[in-house]
Every structure is written in structure tokens, then in C-alpha cells.
Amino acid sequence: MTNERFLEVNRARWDELVEIHAASDHYDVAGFKAGGVTLRDYEIEDVGDVTGKSLLHLQCHFGLDTLSWARLGARVTGVDFSEKAIELARGLAAEAEIDAEFVCSDVDSLPDHLEGTFDVVYTSRGVVNWLPDIERWAQVVAHFLASGGIFYITEGHPVLQMFDHAPELRLRFPYFHRDTPDALVVPGTYADPAAEVKNQLELGWSHGMGEIVTALARAGLCIELLREDPMGEWDRPFLEPSRDGRTWRYPVDKGEMPLWFSLKASKLAS
């Protein structure tokens, strides 16, 4: 099976998930329509003031975070490989009267569908594991980043991605990249576990932290920030709620493990 076929399998699932996610409490579309911003405080602080800046959001799903950056003053372009997600994003932008551009494309072929460079390239939460080629991803990031611009990602830690969704710590997935994806059958979706989903197959790839950082460095970016956090945004049976009530962590009496990371890199001004 080729990467294009892998892409088709994942796209079929994400096309089906768009309406389910948009109707879920997890995404709270009503809250966004009422003027909300879906971005986390820490990522707004890490990225900094975006007023008047151009921002490219890779793997944007149906655009809530993209449009949130616009509400903070950025000139935004969102990209996703699901046409249904892009259609919904455009509809949300029109309804909210937010000026935004949305492009349907996978990351690898985006240079064939979009021109220009951006002050900020952004991506977040559940994006890296869908990428078959982390080196190509980094090259695309660098391609679209303007001289002096910044790239920012906040994401589940590769260590967390290794473990099965079970009460005990049980290794299931590799830490280091393999060309052949891991296949996972998921009856529902993280936004609605009880939802009826026909396309249940997900294909994903592991990428270790060193592989991610090295790919960005080889693409010409300068790493300014790499923060690893023992608290993450994804619930797992072997984790417990943190005191903030919004994140989870490994039980304190059992030890500590990295669950989340945030990375900021820059493209040196020429």
C-alpha cells in the first residue's frame, strides 16, 4: 500500500468525523459562535502577539483554532486534507464574519496548492502521528515560513503515544519511525466515543522527539523552545486528573512521564 492509499484511508475516516465532531460537546461550536477562542493560554503566550501577522495553520480540521487566531488579529489560512472539513470551516468563517482562507490539501503536496510565505506557521494536538514523512513535513513548514518568522507546535508527547489505551502501562506502538504505519480500529471517536462510525480504520506513524527536532533543524529552522510537560490534554485509563481539572498526569505516587510538548522554532532573517 502506498502513501497515497494510506492517505485515502485516513481521509475517508476524517470526512466522516467532521459532522460528528462539529456536533459534539468536545468542540463546543456554539461557544465559538458566541465569540469564544479555542486556543490555550500557554500557546497564545508562546506564539506572542499575532496582530496583523499572516498565519498558516496546518492540519486545521474544521478551523476553530484557525478562526480563533483570526479573532486575535492574525490574517489566517487553514489547511486540511478533508474537503468536508474545509467546507465547514468556510461556512463557520462566513457565519462569524471572519476573513479567512481555507485550502484543501495534504501537507506534503501543499506547495502545489498554495503560494506565499507566512509570519507564523502553526499546528497542534493530534497532528504528527498522521504524517508518513516527518522530513517532508519539516521541509514544507520551512518552505512557507517567512524570513524571521516562527513555527509553533503543541502536541501529545511521543512517549505517551507508545502506550495502549489500557489501565496499566502496556507498550503497543513504536517510539521510533517505521515506514509501515500502525493500524488501529477505532469504533467511535475521541470527541464522541459512542458515535457510530463506518470508517473505523486509522493509520498512523510514530515519530520520536529527536526525529521531530532533527527534521526541523535540517530544514533550516532554529529551535528556540522545547517544553516537555508531565501534564497532558488527553485522558488515558492509566492517568489521573490534574488539579487544574483540564489536564491529566501519571499518578504522582508512581512517578512521572512526559505527556505533552510544545516547540517553537524560527527561520533566521536573511
Side-chain angles (χ1 to χ4, degrees), residues 1 44 50 71 85 90 94 117 126 129 135 140 148 165 187 199 213 252:
M1 190 180 292
I44 295 173
V50 296
R71 280 188 170 154
R90 289 170 178 160
T117 57
N129 63 299
E135 295 277 351
V140 171
H165 291 213
N199 293 285
V213 172
V252 176

Side-chain angles (χ1 to χ4, degrees), residues 6 8 25 28 31 40 53 82 105 163 186 197 208 224 234 251 258:
F6 296 148
E8 291 174 3
D25 292 338
D28 188 19
R40 282 47 167 176
K53 293 184 178 180
S82 167
S105 174
F163 295 100
V186 183
V197 179
E224 297 185 0
W234 297 337

Side-chain angles (χ1 to χ4, degrees), residues 4 33 55 63 76 89 112 116 126 129 135 145 169-170 182 184 200 233 260 264 267:
E4 182 59 34
K33 289 181 178 180
L55 184 146
V76 300
D112 296 329
N129 63 299
E135 295 277 351
L145 198 55
L169 284 183
R170 184 171 65 198
D182 295 303
L184 187 65
Q200 299 184 0
E233 297 190 22
W260 209 258
K264 182 178 181 180
K267 188 173 185 178

